[in-house]
Amino acid sequence: MPDGVEIVVADLLKPQTLGQAMQGIDTAYYLVHSLAAGADRFRALDREAAENFVQAADQAGVRRVIYLSGLGEEAGTLSAHLASRSEVATILVGGRFRTTTLRAAIILGAGGASFELLRYLVKTQPFLLSSTQLDTLCQPIALADVLHYLAGCLDDERTAGRTFEICGPEVLTYRQLLELFAKVAGTVNLFLPVPAIPAAVVGRWVGLFSTLDRPVVKALLEGLGNPVVCHEEQIRKLIPHESMPLDRAIASALGLSADRVV
């Protein structure tokens, strides 16, 4: 463990455990979701966790909170997952601390739920079910870029109390993202046109043959119809940064050499 680092274990669903964790904290990062709890529970748990956090942070005198949220067209009908991310942001903003919200689309990093779902589909399924939802636009971002912005917000007080959209350099459809992933990974997938299949059915299938949590897969798939594209780049003015190209971001997350990317 690095010098000066202290690990304190707490549970956001058990308010009595939060006092020690918050003691002496100036700025807290909020990186929490409850997707694995299932569609009938996760939104309520997300709300409860955020409310408990706000109460504990206010009592401890936390000054700033930096929240990693999700993109989604607010004017449209958001999936339950994206709507919950937005609701949590509203709850955090209600605290006495100043909240910075970073709204991201798919994060390309090993271990992330969205990335691991992409990895599973491309690396293990020779045939991918094709539907019009795959034509939805997205703007993925490399994990390294997300970490850059998270750290940058801590260092730059001008980001306090504001909301920013963070995205990679390329807008593409989910179909194109799967094709790019396959190219970098060195695999071939065929798309089979099929009628609309409920996300719960696909989630159950993936859950049977992978280590991914079935409720998480279902929640992510339900968001396929929501475009997740940046409409502003204010963060770049405050924290200048050159985003990693998507092919290199995928290669890095897969543990492949950048030489594999042409």
Side-chain angles (χ1 to χ4, degrees):
M1 183 187 305
D3 293 338
V5 174
E6 178 185 3
I7 295 178
V8 180
V9 178
D11 187 337
L12 285 173
L13 298 178
K14 297 178 180 178
Q16 67 275 15
T17 70
L18 300 179
Q20 182 183 2
M22 295 290 188
Q23 187 174 1
I25 299 299
D26 174 84
T27 301
Y29 285 93
Y30 197 87
L31 312 171
V32 180
H33 71 70
S34 307
L35 288 181
D40 58 338
R41 296 189 62 208
F42 80 78
R43 191 165 183 177
L45 292 179
D46 278 352
R47 185 185 308 114
E48 180 181 352
E51 290 171 346
N52 290 341
F53 173 85
V54 168
Q55 182 177 8
D58 281 347
Q59 289 176 351
V62 172
R63 187 177 64 88
R64 288 190 63 192
V65 170
I66 300 172
Y67 170 48
L68 181 58
S69 184
L71 273 172
E73 302 290 350
E74 297 290 347
T77 302
L78 294 176
S79 68
H81 165 47
L82 294 177
S84 182
R85 299 290 80 211
S86 179
E87 184 178 16
V88 167
T90 300
I91 293 171
L92 295 179
V93 168
R96 292 199 291 269
F97 44 80
R98 301 186 72 190
T99 301
T100 300
T101 300
L102 298 181
R103 302 177 65 226
I106 295 174
I107 298 174
L108 300 174
S114 296
F115 179 82
E116 293 303 331
L117 176 57
L118 289 171
R119 187 207 299 261
Y120 169 78
L121 292 173
V122 170
K123 297 279 285 185
T124 69
Q125 305 298 301
F127 300 100
L128 299 177
L129 304 181
S130 177
S131 72
T132 56
Q133 285 189 318
L134 290 183
D135 296 324
T136 303
L137 294 176
C138 62
Q139 196 170 355
I141 183 172
L143 175 59
D145 294 338
V146 174
L147 295 176
H148 174 84
Y149 288 125
L150 286 170
C153 287
L154 179 64
D155 294 333
D156 195 326
E157 288 290 332
R158 294 176 299 173
T159 63
R162 298 179 62 181
T163 296
F164 301 95
E165 297 178 352
I166 57 174
C167 290
E170 300 161 59
V171 176
L172 67 175
T173 66
Y174 282 108
R175 187 190 312 275
Q176 291 170 326
L177 177 59
L178 287 166
E179 291 171 341
L180 178 60
F181 199 116
K183 178 181 177 182
V184 174
T187 60
V188 176
N189 307 98
L190 300 177
F191 289 88
L192 298 180
V194 294
I197 298 178
V201 175
V202 180
R204 186 175 299 114
W205 172 267
V206 174
L208 285 174
F209 298 101
S210 77
T211 59
L212 298 172
D213 288 323
R214 183 165 54 192
V216 173
V217 173
K218 177 178 180 292
L220 294 176
L221 291 175
E222 286 177 342
L224 279 179
N226 293 122
V228 283
V229 176
C230 282
H231 295 292
E232 56 88 8
E233 296 184 343
Q234 293 300 310
I235 192 72
R236 290 178 175 271
K237 298 179 181 179
L238 300 179
I239 308 174
H241 180 61
E242 184 176 350
S243 300
M244 186 183 299
L246 293 188
D247 52 359
R248 293 187 180 277
I250 294 169
S252 175
L254 290 173
L256 300 176
S257 169
D259 295 339
R260 288 281 301 272
V261 178
V262 180

